[in-house]
Amino acid sequence: MTPLPVLVLLPIMGGGLAWLAECIWPQTTTSSPSRNASWWVMTATLIVETLLLAMVTFHHPTIQAGPWLEHFSMPWIPSMGIAVRLDMDYLSLSLIWLSLILCFLCVCLATRQVTVNPGTFYFLFLTTLTGIIGTFLATDLFLFFFFWELMLVPMFILIVVWGHEDRQHAALKFFMFTQGSGLVMLLSILGLVIAHDRETGVLTFDYFTLAQTHLSPTLSMLLMVGFFIAFAVKLPIIPIHVWLPDAHTQAPTAASVLLAGILLKTGGYGMIRFNFMLFPDAAMHFAPIAMGLGVVGILYGAWMSCAQEDIKRLIAYSSISHMGFVVLGIFTGSHMGMQGAIIQMLAHGVSTGALFLVAGVIQDQLHTRDMHLIDGLWEATPRLSATGLFFAVASLGMPGLGNFAGEFLVLLAAWYVSPITATLTTVGLILAAIYALRMVNRIFLAASREDLPPLKDLPAKQMAVFACVMIFLIVLGLYPQPFMTFSAPSPIPVMAMSNQGDILP
Protein backbone atom coordinates (compact mmCIF):
# COMPACT_ATOMS: atom_id res chain seq x y z
CA MET A 1 0.00 0.00 0.00
CA THR A 2 1.48 3.32 -1.05
CA PRO A 3 1.81 5.92 1.74
CA LEU A 4 1.02 8.92 -0.49
CA PRO A 5 -2.63 9.38 0.60
CA VAL A 6 -1.55 9.22 4.24
CA LEU A 7 1.14 11.82 3.62
CA VAL A 8 -1.51 14.16 2.25
CA LEU A 9 -4.30 13.52 4.75
CA LEU A 10 -2.34 13.11 7.97
CA PRO A 11 -1.66 16.86 8.56
CA ILE A 12 -5.30 17.92 8.22
CA MET A 13 -6.43 14.99 10.38
CA GLY A 14 -3.83 15.88 13.01
CA GLY A 15 -4.96 19.49 12.81
CA GLY A 16 -8.52 18.39 13.47
CA LEU A 17 -7.35 16.48 16.54
CA ALA A 18 -5.42 19.56 17.73
CA TRP A 19 -8.58 21.61 17.37
CA LEU A 20 -10.54 18.96 19.29
CA ALA A 21 -7.84 18.86 22.00
CA GLU A 22 -8.28 22.58 22.56
CA CYS A 23 -12.02 22.09 22.97
CA ILE A 24 -11.50 19.31 25.52
CA TRP A 25 -8.56 20.88 27.38
CA PRO A 26 -8.84 24.62 26.78
CA GLN A 27 -5.75 26.70 27.47
CA THR A 28 -6.17 29.27 30.19
CA THR A 29 -4.32 32.56 30.42
CA THR A 30 -2.21 31.17 33.27
CA SER A 31 -1.34 27.83 31.72
CA SER A 32 2.07 27.28 30.18
CA PRO A 33 2.18 27.10 26.39
CA SER A 34 4.54 24.15 26.70
CA ARG A 35 1.73 22.19 28.34
CA ASN A 36 -0.79 23.06 25.66
CA ALA A 37 -2.40 19.76 24.59
CA SER A 38 -3.16 20.96 21.05
CA TRP A 39 0.52 21.90 20.57
CA TRP A 40 1.58 18.39 21.51
CA VAL A 41 -0.95 16.91 19.07
CA MET A 42 0.44 19.07 16.28
CA THR A 43 4.00 18.08 17.18
CA ALA A 44 3.10 14.40 17.21
CA THR A 45 1.43 14.78 13.82
CA LEU A 46 4.55 16.28 12.30
CA ILE A 47 6.74 13.57 13.85
CA VAL A 48 4.60 10.81 12.36
CA GLU A 49 4.54 12.63 9.00
CA THR A 50 8.34 12.87 9.06
CA LEU A 51 8.77 9.19 9.92
CA LEU A 52 6.44 8.27 7.05
CA LEU A 53 8.36 10.47 4.63
CA ALA A 54 11.65 8.98 5.84
CA MET A 55 10.26 5.52 5.14
CA VAL A 56 9.45 6.58 1.57
CA THR A 57 12.88 8.17 1.15
CA PHE A 58 14.98 5.26 2.38
CA HIS A 59 12.78 2.73 0.63
CA HIS A 60 14.31 4.08 -2.61
CA PRO A 61 18.00 4.52 -1.77
CA THR A 62 19.26 4.24 -5.35
CA ILE A 63 18.90 7.49 -7.29
CA GLN A 64 18.45 6.83 -10.98
CA ALA A 65 17.60 9.11 -13.86
CA GLY A 66 13.90 9.75 -14.02
CA PRO A 67 12.18 7.34 -11.61
CA TRP A 68 8.77 7.99 -10.14
CA LEU A 69 9.11 6.74 -6.60
CA GLU A 70 5.50 6.21 -5.55
CA HIS A 71 2.12 6.13 -7.26
CA PHE A 72 -1.49 6.13 -6.09
CA SER A 73 -4.64 6.33 -8.15
CA MET A 74 -8.34 5.78 -7.54
CA PRO A 75 -11.47 7.00 -9.35
CA TRP A 76 -13.04 10.20 -8.08
CA ILE A 77 -15.48 11.47 -10.73
CA PRO A 78 -15.16 8.86 -13.50
CA SER A 79 -17.75 10.50 -15.76
CA MET A 80 -15.53 13.60 -15.92
CA GLY A 81 -12.26 11.70 -16.18
CA ILE A 82 -11.18 12.97 -12.74
CA ALA A 83 -9.20 10.72 -10.41
CA VAL A 84 -7.33 10.99 -7.14
CA ARG A 85 -3.90 10.50 -8.64
CA LEU A 86 -0.72 11.14 -6.66
CA ASP A 87 2.85 10.59 -7.87
CA MET A 88 6.17 11.33 -6.19
CA ASP A 89 9.57 11.93 -7.72
CA TYR A 90 12.74 13.37 -6.20
CA LEU A 91 11.71 16.97 -6.87
CA SER A 92 8.46 16.64 -4.96
CA LEU A 93 10.20 14.56 -2.28
CA SER A 94 12.83 17.24 -1.65
CA LEU A 95 10.24 20.02 -1.45
CA ILE A 96 8.12 18.03 0.99
CA TRP A 97 11.22 17.56 3.15
CA LEU A 98 11.73 21.33 3.02
CA SER A 99 8.11 21.81 4.09
CA LEU A 100 8.45 19.55 7.11
CA ILE A 101 11.76 21.10 8.17
CA LEU A 102 10.21 24.56 8.18
CA CYS A 103 7.10 23.31 9.97
CA PHE A 104 9.30 21.89 12.74
CA LEU A 105 11.08 25.24 12.97
CA CYS A 106 7.70 26.90 13.44
CA VAL A 107 6.65 24.32 16.03
CA CYS A 108 9.82 24.78 18.08
CA LEU A 109 10.27 28.54 17.71
CA ALA A 110 7.00 30.27 16.80
CA THR A 111 3.77 28.46 17.53
CA ARG A 112 4.08 28.23 21.33
CA GLN A 113 3.61 31.98 21.44
CA VAL A 114 0.08 31.59 20.01
CA THR A 115 -2.22 32.06 23.01
CA VAL A 116 -5.51 33.00 21.29
CA ASN A 117 -7.37 29.91 20.08
CA PRO A 118 -4.17 27.88 19.58
CA GLY A 119 -6.01 24.72 18.52
CA THR A 120 -7.71 26.61 15.68
CA PHE A 121 -4.36 28.10 14.68
CA TYR A 122 -2.73 24.66 14.54
CA PHE A 123 -5.62 23.24 12.53
CA LEU A 124 -5.31 25.99 9.92
CA PHE A 125 -1.52 25.65 9.92
CA LEU A 126 -1.66 21.91 9.26
CA THR A 127 -4.46 22.30 6.70
CA THR A 128 -2.17 24.63 4.78
CA LEU A 129 0.50 21.93 4.95
CA THR A 130 -1.96 19.41 3.50
CA GLY A 131 -2.60 21.75 0.57
CA ILE A 132 1.13 22.20 0.03
CA ILE A 133 1.95 18.48 0.10
CA GLY A 134 -1.03 17.72 -2.14
CA THR A 135 0.19 20.32 -4.63
CA PHE A 136 3.62 18.67 -4.77
CA LEU A 137 2.09 15.20 -5.35
CA ALA A 138 -1.06 15.67 -7.44
CA THR A 139 -0.82 14.48 -11.06
CA ASP A 140 -4.50 14.89 -11.86
CA LEU A 141 -4.93 18.50 -12.96
CA PHE A 142 -8.29 18.92 -11.25
CA LEU A 143 -6.83 17.54 -8.02
CA PHE A 144 -3.82 19.82 -8.43
CA PHE A 145 -6.14 22.83 -8.72
CA PHE A 146 -8.07 21.62 -5.67
CA PHE A 147 -4.92 21.54 -3.51
CA TRP A 148 -3.65 24.79 -5.06
CA GLU A 149 -6.78 26.56 -3.83
CA LEU A 150 -6.85 24.67 -0.52
CA MET A 151 -3.66 26.44 0.55
CA LEU A 152 -5.27 29.86 0.24
CA VAL A 153 -8.23 29.76 2.63
CA PRO A 154 -6.41 28.68 5.84
CA MET A 155 -3.54 31.06 5.09
CA PHE A 156 -6.03 33.89 4.59
CA ILE A 157 -7.59 33.16 7.98
CA LEU A 158 -4.19 32.87 9.69
CA ILE A 159 -3.28 36.36 8.47
CA VAL A 160 -6.63 38.03 9.09
CA VAL A 161 -7.10 36.63 12.63
CA TRP A 162 -3.57 36.33 14.07
CA GLY A 163 -1.80 38.96 11.97
CA HIS A 164 -0.59 42.42 12.91
CA GLU A 165 -2.01 45.94 12.67
CA ASP A 166 -3.02 46.03 8.97
CA ARG A 167 -3.83 42.34 8.66
CA GLN A 168 -7.27 42.63 7.00
CA HIS A 169 -5.97 44.63 4.05
CA ALA A 170 -2.94 42.36 3.62
CA ALA A 171 -5.02 39.17 3.81
CA LEU A 172 -7.55 40.47 1.28
CA LYS A 173 -4.82 41.47 -1.16
CA PHE A 174 -3.16 38.05 -0.77
CA PHE A 175 -6.40 36.20 -1.39
CA MET A 176 -7.55 38.29 -4.36
CA PHE A 177 -4.27 37.98 -6.25
CA THR A 178 -3.74 34.28 -5.63
CA GLN A 179 -7.39 33.33 -6.12
CA GLY A 180 -7.68 35.37 -9.32
CA SER A 181 -4.53 33.87 -10.82
CA GLY A 182 -5.73 30.40 -9.83
CA LEU A 183 -8.88 30.92 -11.88
CA VAL A 184 -6.71 31.82 -14.87
CA MET A 185 -4.90 28.51 -14.38
CA LEU A 186 -8.24 26.71 -14.20
CA LEU A 187 -9.16 28.14 -17.61
CA SER A 188 -5.89 26.78 -19.01
CA ILE A 189 -6.55 23.38 -17.46
CA LEU A 190 -10.00 23.26 -19.02
CA GLY A 191 -8.62 24.41 -22.36
CA LEU A 192 -6.03 21.62 -22.35
CA VAL A 193 -8.61 19.01 -21.31
CA ILE A 194 -11.04 20.11 -24.02
CA ALA A 195 -8.29 20.14 -26.66
CA HIS A 196 -7.33 16.58 -25.71
CA ASP A 197 -10.98 15.50 -25.73
CA ARG A 198 -11.47 16.88 -29.24
CA GLU A 199 -8.31 15.17 -30.46
CA THR A 200 -8.83 11.74 -28.90
CA GLY A 201 -12.46 11.64 -27.71
CA VAL A 202 -11.20 10.89 -24.18
CA LEU A 203 -12.11 13.24 -21.36
CA THR A 204 -9.35 13.13 -18.76
CA PHE A 205 -7.44 15.34 -16.34
CA ASP A 206 -4.50 12.94 -16.11
CA TYR A 207 -1.20 14.84 -16.17
CA PHE A 208 0.76 12.25 -18.15
CA THR A 209 -1.97 11.69 -20.71
CA LEU A 210 -2.47 15.40 -21.29
CA ALA A 211 1.28 15.83 -21.78
CA GLN A 212 0.90 13.86 -25.04
CA THR A 213 -1.75 16.19 -26.46
CA HIS A 214 -0.87 17.73 -29.84
CA LEU A 215 -1.53 21.47 -29.73
CA SER A 216 -1.13 24.22 -32.26
CA PRO A 217 1.67 26.70 -31.44
CA THR A 218 -0.84 29.46 -30.71
CA LEU A 219 -3.01 27.35 -28.40
CA SER A 220 0.03 25.91 -26.67
CA MET A 221 1.35 29.40 -25.96
CA LEU A 222 -2.01 30.63 -24.64
CA LEU A 223 -2.42 27.67 -22.30
CA MET A 224 1.18 27.88 -21.13
CA VAL A 225 0.82 31.58 -20.31
CA GLY A 226 -2.29 30.81 -18.25
CA PHE A 227 -0.31 28.39 -16.11
CA PHE A 228 2.61 30.81 -15.98
CA ILE A 229 0.46 33.65 -14.63
CA ALA A 230 -0.75 31.54 -11.71
CA PHE A 231 2.76 30.40 -10.84
CA ALA A 232 4.19 33.89 -11.37
CA VAL A 233 1.75 35.37 -8.84
CA LYS A 234 2.62 32.76 -6.24
CA LEU A 235 6.38 33.03 -6.81
CA PRO A 236 5.99 36.13 -7.27
CA ILE A 237 7.21 37.96 -10.39
CA ILE A 238 7.19 41.69 -11.06
CA PRO A 239 4.68 43.38 -11.58
CA ILE A 240 2.20 40.95 -9.97
CA HIS A 241 4.09 40.85 -6.68
CA VAL A 242 2.25 43.57 -4.79
CA TRP A 243 0.47 41.19 -2.43
CA LEU A 244 3.67 39.73 -1.02
CA PRO A 245 5.28 42.54 1.05
CA ASP A 246 2.05 43.28 2.92
CA ALA A 247 1.20 39.62 3.47
CA HIS A 248 4.67 38.76 4.79
CA THR A 249 4.78 41.82 7.01
CA GLN A 250 1.34 41.44 8.55
CA ALA A 251 1.26 37.65 8.90
CA PRO A 252 2.09 36.01 12.25
CA THR A 253 5.60 34.58 12.38
CA ALA A 254 4.66 30.97 11.61
CA ALA A 255 2.53 32.06 8.64
CA SER A 256 5.37 34.25 7.34
CA VAL A 257 7.65 31.22 7.43
CA LEU A 258 5.10 29.15 5.50
CA LEU A 259 4.59 31.92 2.96
CA ALA A 260 8.25 32.63 2.28
CA GLY A 261 9.65 29.17 2.82
CA ILE A 262 7.08 26.94 1.13
CA LEU A 263 4.17 28.67 -0.63
CA LEU A 264 6.49 30.65 -2.90
CA LYS A 265 8.17 27.37 -3.88
CA THR A 266 4.91 25.99 -5.23
CA GLY A 267 5.22 28.62 -7.97
CA GLY A 268 8.70 27.43 -8.92
CA TYR A 269 7.56 23.82 -8.73
CA GLY A 270 4.65 24.58 -11.05
CA MET A 271 6.92 26.21 -13.63
CA ILE A 272 9.19 23.18 -13.65
CA ARG A 273 6.48 20.54 -13.59
CA PHE A 274 3.81 22.13 -15.78
CA ASN A 275 5.20 24.88 -18.01
CA PHE A 276 8.14 22.82 -19.24
CA MET A 277 6.54 19.37 -19.12
CA LEU A 278 3.22 20.17 -20.75
CA PHE A 279 4.33 22.95 -23.10
CA PRO A 280 8.09 22.58 -23.76
CA ASP A 281 8.15 24.37 -27.13
CA ALA A 282 5.96 27.25 -25.95
CA ALA A 283 8.05 27.56 -22.78
CA MET A 284 11.26 27.89 -24.80
CA HIS A 285 9.69 30.53 -27.06
CA PHE A 286 8.51 32.39 -23.95
CA ALA A 287 11.87 32.00 -22.19
CA PRO A 288 13.38 35.41 -23.17
CA ILE A 289 10.38 37.20 -21.64
CA ALA A 290 10.46 35.05 -18.50
CA MET A 291 14.22 35.53 -18.08
CA GLY A 292 13.77 39.27 -18.47
CA LEU A 293 11.10 39.26 -15.77
CA GLY A 294 13.41 37.23 -13.56
CA VAL A 295 16.22 39.78 -13.92
CA VAL A 296 13.82 42.66 -13.23
CA GLY A 297 12.62 40.85 -10.10
CA ILE A 298 16.19 40.31 -8.89
CA LEU A 299 17.10 43.97 -9.30
CA TYR A 300 13.80 45.47 -8.15
CA GLY A 301 13.48 43.25 -5.07
CA ALA A 302 17.06 43.96 -4.01
CA TRP A 303 16.69 47.71 -4.61
CA MET A 304 13.47 47.89 -2.61
CA SER A 305 15.06 45.88 0.21
CA CYS A 306 17.76 48.56 0.48
CA ALA A 307 15.05 51.18 1.12
CA GLN A 308 13.11 49.35 3.86
CA GLU A 309 13.12 50.20 7.56
CA ASP A 310 10.63 47.44 8.53
CA ILE A 311 12.67 44.28 9.06
CA LYS A 312 9.93 41.89 7.86
CA ARG A 313 9.25 44.05 4.82
CA LEU A 314 12.96 44.00 3.99
CA ILE A 315 13.00 40.20 4.15
CA ALA A 316 9.85 40.09 2.02
CA TYR A 317 11.36 42.17 -0.78
CA SER A 318 14.55 40.11 -0.60
CA SER A 319 12.37 37.05 -1.30
CA ILE A 320 11.20 38.66 -4.54
CA SER A 321 14.84 39.13 -5.52
CA HIS A 322 15.82 35.56 -4.65
CA MET A 323 12.84 34.10 -6.49
CA GLY A 324 13.99 35.99 -9.57
CA PHE A 325 16.97 33.62 -9.61
CA VAL A 326 14.55 30.69 -9.63
CA VAL A 327 12.70 32.03 -12.69
CA LEU A 328 15.96 32.85 -14.44
CA GLY A 329 17.40 29.40 -13.80
CA ILE A 330 14.29 27.53 -14.91
CA PHE A 331 13.92 29.41 -18.17
CA THR A 332 17.54 29.11 -19.22
CA GLY A 333 16.30 25.81 -20.60
CA SER A 334 19.34 23.93 -19.32
CA HIS A 335 19.94 21.15 -16.86
CA MET A 336 22.38 23.36 -14.96
CA GLY A 337 19.92 26.21 -14.69
CA MET A 338 17.22 23.85 -13.45
CA GLN A 339 19.54 22.46 -10.79
CA GLY A 340 20.49 25.95 -9.69
CA ALA A 341 16.83 26.97 -9.41
CA ILE A 342 16.03 23.95 -7.24
CA ILE A 343 19.05 24.49 -4.96
CA GLN A 344 18.04 28.14 -4.67
CA MET A 345 14.51 27.15 -3.64
CA LEU A 346 15.82 24.84 -0.93
CA ALA A 347 18.39 27.31 0.39
CA HIS A 348 16.07 30.31 0.26
CA GLY A 349 13.31 28.39 2.02
CA VAL A 350 15.57 27.61 4.97
CA SER A 351 17.50 30.89 5.23
CA THR A 352 14.54 33.23 4.74
CA GLY A 353 12.31 31.15 6.99
CA ALA A 354 14.96 31.42 9.71
CA LEU A 355 15.23 35.19 9.18
CA PHE A 356 11.48 35.56 9.67
CA LEU A 357 11.77 33.55 12.88
CA VAL A 358 14.54 35.85 14.12
CA ALA A 359 12.42 38.88 13.18
CA GLY A 360 9.50 37.33 15.06
CA VAL A 361 11.58 36.90 18.22
CA ILE A 362 12.66 40.54 18.02
CA GLN A 363 9.10 41.78 17.46
CA ASP A 364 7.74 39.67 20.33
CA GLN A 365 10.23 41.26 22.74
CA LEU A 366 10.43 44.85 21.47
CA HIS A 367 6.96 45.11 19.90
CA THR A 368 8.35 46.83 16.83
CA ARG A 369 9.71 45.94 13.40
CA ASP A 370 11.32 49.35 12.78
CA MET A 371 15.07 48.93 12.49
CA HIS A 372 15.58 52.50 13.78
CA LEU A 373 14.15 51.32 17.10
CA ILE A 374 16.12 48.05 17.32
CA ASP A 375 19.67 49.30 17.55
CA GLY A 376 22.49 47.23 18.99
CA LEU A 377 21.15 43.88 20.18
CA TRP A 378 24.47 42.04 20.22
CA GLU A 379 25.44 42.92 23.77
CA ALA A 380 22.04 41.96 25.21
CA THR A 381 21.32 38.93 22.99
CA PRO A 382 24.55 37.52 21.54
CA ARG A 383 23.07 34.17 20.50
CA LEU A 384 20.10 35.74 18.74
CA SER A 385 22.39 38.28 17.08
CA ALA A 386 24.84 35.62 15.89
CA THR A 387 21.94 33.64 14.46
CA GLY A 388 20.57 36.66 12.62
CA LEU A 389 24.05 37.46 11.31
CA PHE A 390 24.53 33.93 9.95
CA PHE A 391 21.27 33.82 8.04
CA ALA A 392 21.67 37.38 6.75
CA VAL A 393 25.10 36.43 5.38
CA ALA A 394 23.58 33.29 3.86
CA SER A 395 20.88 35.40 2.23
CA LEU A 396 23.41 37.69 0.53
CA GLY A 397 25.03 34.66 -1.11
CA MET A 398 28.23 34.09 0.87
CA PRO A 399 30.39 31.35 -0.74
CA GLY A 400 30.27 28.15 1.25
CA LEU A 401 26.56 28.46 2.04
CA GLY A 402 23.60 27.04 0.15
CA ASN A 403 22.30 30.26 -1.39
CA PHE A 404 25.63 30.83 -3.16
CA ALA A 405 25.54 27.35 -4.72
CA GLY A 406 22.13 27.98 -6.27
CA GLU A 407 22.92 31.48 -7.44
CA PHE A 408 26.26 30.42 -8.94
CA LEU A 409 24.65 27.64 -10.99
CA VAL A 410 21.94 30.01 -12.22
CA LEU A 411 24.47 32.68 -13.18
CA LEU A 412 26.63 30.17 -15.04
CA ALA A 413 23.64 28.79 -16.92
CA ALA A 414 22.46 32.32 -17.74
CA TRP A 415 25.93 33.23 -19.04
CA TYR A 416 25.74 30.48 -21.68
CA VAL A 417 22.39 31.85 -22.85
CA SER A 418 23.02 35.61 -22.52
CA PRO A 419 26.17 37.16 -21.01
CA ILE A 420 24.38 40.50 -20.74
CA THR A 421 21.62 38.92 -18.65
CA ALA A 422 24.15 37.28 -16.35
CA THR A 423 26.05 40.56 -15.96
CA LEU A 424 22.90 42.48 -15.01
CA THR A 425 22.01 39.77 -12.52
CA THR A 426 25.26 40.26 -10.63
CA VAL A 427 24.12 43.79 -9.77
CA GLY A 428 21.41 42.15 -7.67
CA LEU A 429 24.10 40.32 -5.71
CA ILE A 430 25.83 43.61 -4.94
CA LEU A 431 22.55 45.11 -3.73
CA ALA A 432 21.93 41.97 -1.66
CA ALA A 433 25.18 42.57 0.19
CA ILE A 434 24.13 46.17 0.82
CA TYR A 435 20.71 45.45 2.31
CA ALA A 436 21.85 42.38 4.28
CA LEU A 437 24.82 44.14 5.88
CA ARG A 438 22.73 47.25 6.48
CA MET A 439 20.23 45.13 8.38
CA VAL A 440 22.99 43.44 10.39
CA ASN A 441 24.69 46.72 11.27
CA ARG A 442 21.45 48.46 12.21
CA ILE A 443 19.91 45.70 14.32
CA PHE A 444 22.81 43.78 15.83
CA LEU A 445 26.15 45.57 15.56
CA ALA A 446 25.23 49.20 16.25
CA ALA A 447 25.80 50.79 19.62
CA SER A 448 23.26 49.60 22.17
CA ARG A 449 20.47 51.97 23.06
CA GLU A 450 20.13 52.90 26.71
CA ASP A 451 16.33 52.80 26.63
CA LEU A 452 16.07 49.21 25.39
CA PRO A 453 13.87 47.07 27.67
CA PRO A 454 15.33 43.91 29.23
CA LEU A 455 15.74 41.26 26.54
CA LYS A 456 15.87 37.49 26.69
CA ASP A 457 18.43 35.72 24.54
CA LEU A 458 17.70 32.49 22.69
CA PRO A 459 17.70 29.53 25.11
CA ALA A 460 19.97 26.56 24.42
CA LYS A 461 17.15 24.41 23.00
CA GLN A 462 16.19 26.99 20.40
CA MET A 463 19.84 27.58 19.51
CA ALA A 464 20.19 23.85 18.92
CA VAL A 465 17.29 23.99 16.46
CA PHE A 466 18.83 26.91 14.61
CA ALA A 467 22.21 25.13 14.63
CA CYS A 468 20.73 22.18 12.73
CA VAL A 469 19.49 24.55 10.02
CA MET A 470 22.88 26.26 9.87
CA ILE A 471 24.59 22.92 9.35
CA PHE A 472 22.18 22.12 6.52
CA LEU A 473 23.03 25.39 4.73
CA ILE A 474 26.75 24.78 5.18
CA VAL A 475 26.54 21.24 3.80
CA LEU A 476 24.35 22.47 0.93
CA GLY A 477 26.92 25.14 0.11
CA LEU A 478 30.08 23.04 0.44
CA TYR A 479 28.80 19.81 -1.11
CA PRO A 480 25.68 20.49 -3.21
CA GLN A 481 26.08 17.52 -5.56
CA PRO A 482 23.94 15.03 -3.56
CA PHE A 483 21.15 17.61 -3.33
CA MET A 484 21.43 18.35 -7.06
CA THR A 485 21.02 14.65 -7.81
CA PHE A 486 18.46 13.96 -5.11
CA SER A 487 16.11 16.81 -6.09
CA ALA A 488 16.16 16.31 -9.85
CA PRO A 489 12.66 16.30 -11.39
CA SER A 490 11.51 13.21 -13.21
CA PRO A 491 11.26 13.30 -16.10
CA ILE A 492 13.48 16.34 -16.51
CA PRO A 493 11.58 18.53 -19.00
CA VAL A 494 14.62 20.39 -20.29
CA MET A 495 16.30 17.17 -21.41
CA ALA A 496 13.57 16.60 -23.97
CA MET A 497 14.08 20.01 -25.57
CA SER A 498 16.32 21.06 -28.37
CA ASN A 499 20.02 21.24 -27.70
CA GLN A 500 19.96 25.04 -27.83
CA GLY A 501 19.85 25.42 -24.05
CA ASP A 502 21.40 22.10 -23.10
CA ILE A 503 24.62 23.00 -21.33
CA LEU A 504 25.59 19.81 -19.57
CA PRO A 505 26.60 16.73 -21.57
Side-chain angles (χ1 to χ4, degrees), residues 173 327 376:
K173 186 184 293 186
V327 178

Side-chain angles (χ1 to χ4, degrees), residues 44-68:
T45 300
L46 290 176
I47 291 174
V48 175
E49 182 85 355
T50 302
L51 292 175
L52 187 61
L53 188 63
M55 183 186 71
V56 174
T57 304
F58 295 108
H59 181 63
H60 302 276
T62 303
I63 299 178
Q64 301 172 351
W68 288 89

Side-chain angles (χ1 to χ4, degrees), residues 164 244-245 247-257 308-319 355-356 359-360 363 369-371 439:
H164 302 303
L244 183 139
H248 279 57
T249 303
Q250 300 302 324
T253 300
S256 292
V257 174
Q308 302 305 311
E309 299 298 337
D310 185 310
I311 180 174
K312 290 186 71 175
R313 202 169 185 86
L314 184 154
I315 301 170
Y317 274 109
S318 73
S319 293
L355 279 176
F356 272 117
Q363 184 175 6
R369 301 186 303 272
D370 191 340
M371 292 192 294
M439 177 180 67

Side-chain angles (χ1 to χ4, degrees), residues 82-103:
I82 298 173
V84 177
R85 174 161 185 157
L86 306 170
D87 289 275
M88 175 185 283
D89 71 343
Y90 286 108
L91 174 61
S92 52
L93 178 62
S94 61
L95 290 175
I96 294 174
W97 270 116
L98 173 66
S99 303
L100 292 182
I101 290 172
L102 292 177
C103 285

